[in-house]
Amino acid sequence: MLYHLLYPLHKTISAFNVFRYITFRTIYASLTAFLICFILGPWVIKKMSHLQIGQYIREDGPETHHKKAGTPTMGGTLIIFSVIISTLLWTNLTNRYVWIVLMVTAGYGCIGFIDDYLMQIKKQNKGLTGRNKFLLQSMIAIITGGLVYLNPDFSTQVTFPFFKNISPDLKWGYILFAAFVIIGTSNAVNITDGLDGLAIGPFIIASSAYMVFAYVAGHIRIANYLQIQYVAGSGEIAIFCGALAGSGLGFLWFNTYPAQIFMGDVGSLALGGAIGTVAVITKQEILLVLVGGLFVIETLSVIFQVGFFKVTNGRRIFKMAPLHHHFELKGWPEPKVIVRFWIIAIALALLSMSTLKLR
Ligand code: 57M
């Protein structure tokens, strides 16, 4: 909005010329989202406590989690609010990709809100059934895949990191591929969000990496130089990624160990859906395996655990899945698990950045 209000005035007030620059608006979108979370955080924590929206802890979890019972949750409402406000303030609102990512963020946030509401407020232990959750996620993801597919400028080719000349064109099949990326990422972040700051830390790292990818993909000269796909208009998504990272930092202030609030499914599903959609729009879908490598590792640990459990009639690979619980049960203190997982996330994100040159 500020872009539309202030940039046109740059002829009279030359300082307003700065609003044309995506870098400037990305920085301030990040700071705006951070400040909204930082300032409203205490009020949200108090509100959730007052409404008795406290975390229900399953019996079969690690012993160390039982002291967490009653921790305010659904802090994802604050994350989503700060991301949407900051994005509306700082982006070019005529950009269709901005509205697509906002639609997914809000839509997946609603799915998570319903799940949290049923679980935490209605005390229905399971929340939304896995099937209903998947159906709602699929609806939004397929609509999103369709919207990018119908954009004439959007390529349905899939690019592979390190292998420049492998880029199969999926044509209409891209809609299902995009949906798979969005749904998969949303559920991966959801599974990872099981320790204080464990999901939001790597999420900040991933959204910072995609801030760079969105900027270079939207800059025709840089995209050509780096030999990555040029996506006209994706530069504005860098501003959205800035808001994601800033909001994540603001939430981490309260979610760091010992957490004063959890994000809830309203946060984890929304954030995962948002970053998955950004990966689709910036044409860095496969790279998400690296950028969001920690989310992939956590999800694979569950897939292998459940698969092995079924095949061997009850034997386990890990002490407990997802992987963070395995290290907890090995005796690692929670902060040690969290920071070491962050270190792995940073290393994977740096490796993903190197693919911009290594092709
Ligand atoms: C999302 N939710 C946390 C919090 C957060 C198939 C299986 C892997 C599914 C998985 C599952 O239930 N995943 C759901 C993970 C939960 O966090 C809430 O959920 C929101 C995110 N969706 O915002 O509101 C618990 O995580 C802890 N937590 C923190 N700090 C945070 O900042 O300490 C969360 C955020 C919270 C709190 O204790 O209650 C979760 O873990 O449920 N299931 C599991 O992960 C379970 N693993 C399991 O069943 N393993 C089996 C299977 C794979 C065969 C096995 O290994 O044998 C574990 N989770 C729980 N109890 N709660 C273990 C059992």
Side-chain angles (χ1 to χ4, degrees):
M1 186 167 59
L2 295 176
Y3 169 78
H4 301 282
L5 289 175
L6 300 179
Y7 177 57
L9 302 176
H10 76 280
K11 295 185 180 72
T12 42
I13 307 169
S14 58
F16 286 167
N17 186 52
V18 76
F19 283 95
R20 69 185 282 206
Y21 296 111
I22 285 174
T23 43
F24 173 82
R25 288 187 282 131
T26 299
I27 291 166
Y28 279 88
S30 187
L31 291 173
T32 303
F34 171 78
L35 281 175
I36 292 173
C37 279
F38 185 76
I39 292 166
L40 292 181
W43 178 80
V44 169
I45 292 168
K46 210 177 296 166
K47 194 74 181 165
M48 293 306 182
S49 304
H50 177 68
L51 294 171
Q52 296 189 323
I53 302 176
Q55 184 65 48
Y56 166 80
I57 305 292
R58 284 167 40 178
E59 290 312 312
D60 57 354
E63 194 57 38
T64 50
H65 283 234
H66 295 160
K67 64 179 186 293
K68 295 168 179 264
T71 304
T73 184
M74 295 180 75
T77 49
L78 174 60
I79 298 172
I80 294 169
F81 174 75
S82 64
V83 166
I84 290 177
I85 294 296
S86 181
T87 302
L88 292 176
L89 261 181
W90 293 101
T91 57
N92 175 349
L93 299 178
T94 63
N95 181 297
R96 59 179 299 157
Y97 293 133
V98 166
W99 293 106
I100 289 174
V101 289
L102 287 179
M103 175 196 75
V104 175
T105 306
Y108 272 52
C110 290
I111 297 171
F113 184 90
I114 295 167
D115 197 22
D116 286 332
Y117 177 80
L118 292 176
M119 202 142 46
Q120 304 298 345
I121 298 170
K122 304 289 279 184
K123 304 293 178 217
Q124 291 175 14
N125 183 6
K126 288 284 173 220
L128 270 177
T129 61
R131 184 174 171 279
N132 288 342
K133 191 187 287 189
F134 180 74
L135 283 176
L136 290 169
Q137 287 176 312
S138 302
M139 257 168 49
I140 294 173
I142 288 169
I143 290 168
T144 304
L147 286 172
V148 294
Y149 174 74
L150 292 173
N151 183 347
D153 305 336
F154 192 83
S155 160
T156 52
Q157 285 183 302
V158 177
T159 50
F160 285 79
F162 304 111
F163 303 101
K164 257 191 204 310
N165 36 23
I166 301 178
S167 53
D169 189 340
L170 302 184
K171 301 209 184 311
W172 62 267
Y174 187 84
I175 295 174
L176 296 177
F177 173 71
F180 171 76
V181 170
I182 295 166
I183 298 166
T185 315
S186 178
N187 289 310
V189 175
N190 184 42
I191 282 177
T192 305
D193 193 31
L195 296 181
D196 296 356
L198 184 67
I200 200 70
F203 176 80
I204 294 165
I205 296 158
S207 42
S208 302
Y210 272 105
M211 195 192 306
V212 174
F213 292 131
Y215 180 78
V216 298
H219 199 294
I220 191 159
R221 281 204 314 278
I222 302 177
N224 290 338
Y225 167 70
L226 294 172
Q227 294 181 53
I228 58 171
Q229 287 207 29
Y230 169 61
V231 182
S234 83
E236 290 295 320
I237 296 304
I239 299 164
F240 173 73
C241 291
L244 289 177
S247 177
L249 281 170
F251 181 72
L252 180 59
W253 187 274
F254 305 102
N255 184 236
T256 187
Y257 183 85
Q260 294 167 265
I261 189 166
F262 298 152
M263 69 171 75
D265 283 31
V266 60
S268 58
L269 294 182
L271 294 183
I275 210 78
T277 307
V278 167
V280 164
I281 290 171
T282 56
K283 301 301 301 164
Q284 297 292 346
E285 313 90 343
I286 307 293
L287 198 62
L288 185 54
V289 170
L290 216 46
V291 180
L294 187 80
F295 301 126
V296 173
I297 294 167
E298 287 263 69
T299 304
L300 288 178
S301 73
V302 171
I303 293 168
F304 290 137
Q305 178 87 331
V306 173
F308 190 76
F309 189 86
K310 283 181 181 154
V311 164
T312 61
N313 286 326
R315 288 179 55 205
R316 288 180 160 84
I317 304 171
F318 308 103
K319 291 179 183 297
M320 185 182 285
L323 194 57
H324 55 263
H325 286 317
H326 172 76
F327 289 109
E328 278 191 295
L329 297 185
K330 274 175 66 89
W332 291 19
E334 183 171 348
K336 190 179 279 282
V337 179
I338 297 160
V339 175
R340 286 181 171 175
F341 275 36
W342 286 355
I343 291 167
I344 292 167
I346 291 168
L348 290 170
L350 287 173
L351 188 61
S352 73
M353 304 299 282
S354 72
T355 65
L356 282 174
K357 273 313 285 168
L358 300 170
R359 290 229 172 229

